[in-house]
Amino acid sequence: MSSSEAPKTWLSQDAYDRLQAELDELIAGRPAIAAEINARREEGDLRENGGYHAAREEQSRQEGRILYLKEFLRNAEVGEVQAADSVVPGSVVTIYFDDDQADTEMFLLGSREISSTTDLTVYSPESALGKAILGARPGQTVTYTAPSGADIKVTVVKFGAFEG
């Protein structure tokens, strides 16, 4: 993969459907927000109209979420993760930290948007840990720099496709 290609975000069909429903609901709510803004505008002086400003802020927040979801869903890879010989987005990964095989963690490597559909912790492939383990195989040890600046060494124990 070249540096200009962003990795695809993997989503289960359930997660995709849930996000699409949220997008549809936000789009359907646009007329209500516009009506609220118009109603508040009719109240008079806009400089001191808290209701008007609150409605505009809500509209801005919703439009931002709509744009984000449209782009996110457009770039998502939907379906079941294919079998792979190394860690890929959509993998459930078990690792251990700093040569301590008792200090393990199991998590899903995927979009944070999918976190509400699973009990697993979800790490993004774009996170420091995610970038470090992408392409790793069982038994392989990698080191990454945590946001705190500490270098952390992890070993991939196993991985498999997400079944959620």
Side-chain angles (χ1 to χ4, degrees), residues 106-119:
M106 183 170 73
F107 57 89
L108 172 62
L109 184 65
S111 167
R112 303 286 289 162
E113 295 289 343
I114 201 172
S115 63
S116 66
T117 66
T118 180
D119 290 332

Side-chain angles (χ1 to χ4, degrees), residues 17-90:
D17 292 345
R18 181 182 54 79
L19 293 172
Q20 184 63 54
E22 179 186 349
L23 175 60
D24 294 343
E25 185 177 314
L26 288 170
I27 290 171
R30 280 175 164 166
I33 288 288
E36 177 73 15
I37 290 170
N38 285 335
R40 299 297 180 187
R41 185 179 293 129
E42 298 296 320
E43 292 176 355
D45 187 0
L46 297 182
R47 290 176 292 175
E48 297 180 16
N49 188 330
Y52 170 79
H53 293 290
R56 290 294 306 244
E57 287 174 16
E58 178 64 16
Q59 180 188 42
S60 177
R61 187 192 65 75
Q62 284 188 359
E63 288 301 318
R65 182 71 175 160
I66 286 169
L67 289 173
Y68 170 78
L69 286 173
K70 282 182 176 180
E71 184 68 13
F72 184 80
L73 293 173
R74 185 176 66 79
N75 292 318
E77 195 169 310
V78 181
E80 299 305 315
V81 174
Q82 301 299 313
D85 60 353
S86 63
V87 175
V88 296

